[in-house]
Amino acid sequence: MKQSGRKLIANNKKVHHDYFLLENYEAGIELFGTEVKSLRMGKCSIKEAFIRIENGEVILYGCHISPYEKGNIFNKDPLRPKKLLLHKSEIRKLIGAIAEKGLTIVPVEVYFSGSYVKVEIALARGKKLYDKRADIAKKDMKREAERDFKQSFR
């Protein structure tokens, strides 16, 4: 997925299945040199990642950035909490929103924007089981329709 200097590193496919995404934000991420080198090699996973706001700072937990092979003593803990960089007004808006019942902040994808590493985060509301079933049924119906459409041209 390349679009105007945006190179995808990792995305969280499960987030679309588990949540309704309401608002998206682009956040910078505080990293060390060896972590950036590891990201350039595509060694990142945000499947288990989650976001909390503590003391007015947005922190990403559970994002696994594999240690850089040539980094030796400079490598950091792969699962260390990473601070996300957002404007104060955006942080205040997020704090107000997650005070509302049922809303959370989830990481959607990690990518390079030029030479900077960015994380797309979203304000999300959790789906109930019946919502997930409805989505699966809708996807199946769409797949069936596309299959029938393709077969009608053969």
Side-chain angles (χ1 to χ4, degrees), residues 31-67:
L31 296 170
F32 291 93
T34 55
E35 290 175 319
V36 176
K37 289 178 180 182
S38 186
L39 286 173
R40 287 204 186 284
M41 294 166 60
K43 308 267 178 110
C44 179
S45 171
I46 56 170
K47 285 186 175 97
E48 304 292 318
F50 61 95
I51 294 172
R52 285 201 182 132
I53 299 179
E54 298 168 355
N55 304 326
E57 292 182 342
V58 182
I59 313 242
L60 174 67
Y61 291 94
C63 173
H64 187 278
I65 298 176
S66 298

Side-chain angles (χ1 to χ4, degrees), residues 62-77:
C63 173
H64 187 278
I65 298 176
S66 298
Y68 183 57
E69 289 105 39
K70 300 177 180 101
N72 58 41
I73 62 166
F74 298 108
N75 280 332
K76 300 290 180 190
D77 176 30

Side-chain angles (χ1 to χ4, degrees), residues 6-154:
R6 183 175 158 149
K7 181 179 174 253
L8 186 67
I9 301 167
N11 68 349
N12 192 350
K13 294 176 186 166
K14 201 165 168 67
V15 81
H16 295 285
H17 179 69
D18 292 339
Y19 299 97
F20 293 114
L21 303 182
L22 306 175
E23 255 184 276
N24 288 13
Y25 295 92
E26 181 181 66
I29 183 169
E30 188 177 72
L31 296 170
F32 291 93
T34 55
E35 290 175 319
V36 176
K37 289 178 180 182
S38 186
L39 286 173
R40 287 204 186 284
M41 294 166 60
K43 308 267 178 110
C44 179
S45 171
I46 56 170
K47 285 186 175 97
E48 304 292 318
F50 61 95
I51 294 172
R52 285 201 182 132
I53 299 179
E54 298 168 355
N55 304 326
E57 292 182 342
V58 182
I59 313 242
L60 174 67
Y61 291 94
C63 173
H64 187 278
I65 298 176
S66 298
Y68 183 57
E69 289 105 39
K70 300 177 180 101
N72 58 41
I73 62 166
F74 298 108
N75 280 332
K76 300 290 180 190
D77 176 30
L79 286 171
R80 75 175 181 83
K82 294 154 190 74
K83 183 177 168 185
L84 297 182
L85 310 170
L86 287 160
H87 290 286
K88 221 172 235 174
S89 59
E90 291 175 322
I91 294 173
R92 275 194 231 108
K93 192 186 287 186
L94 287 172
I95 289 171
I98 61 172
E100 190 180 320
K101 191 174 181 237
L103 291 183
T104 187
I105 308 167
V106 292
V108 179
E109 56 186 33
V110 179
Y111 57 92
F112 279 107
S113 179
S115 62
Y116 296 108
V117 178
K118 300 287 185 178
V119 179
E120 184 179 324
I121 62 174
L123 190 61
R125 173 171 275 119
K127 287 185 179 178
K128 303 276 190 255
L129 186 61
Y130 57 83
D131 291 327
K132 292 179 188 178
R133 285 186 187 139
D135 278 356
I136 291 169
K138 210 179 292 179
K139 216 178 274 182
D140 287 346
M141 283 173 43
K142 186 178 177 186
R143 198 176 301 124
E144 288 279 327
E146 284 177 1
R147 191 177 302 132
D148 292 343
F149 185 70
K150 277 184 181 177
Q151 287 178 352
S152 67
F153 282 108
R154 287 184 180 184

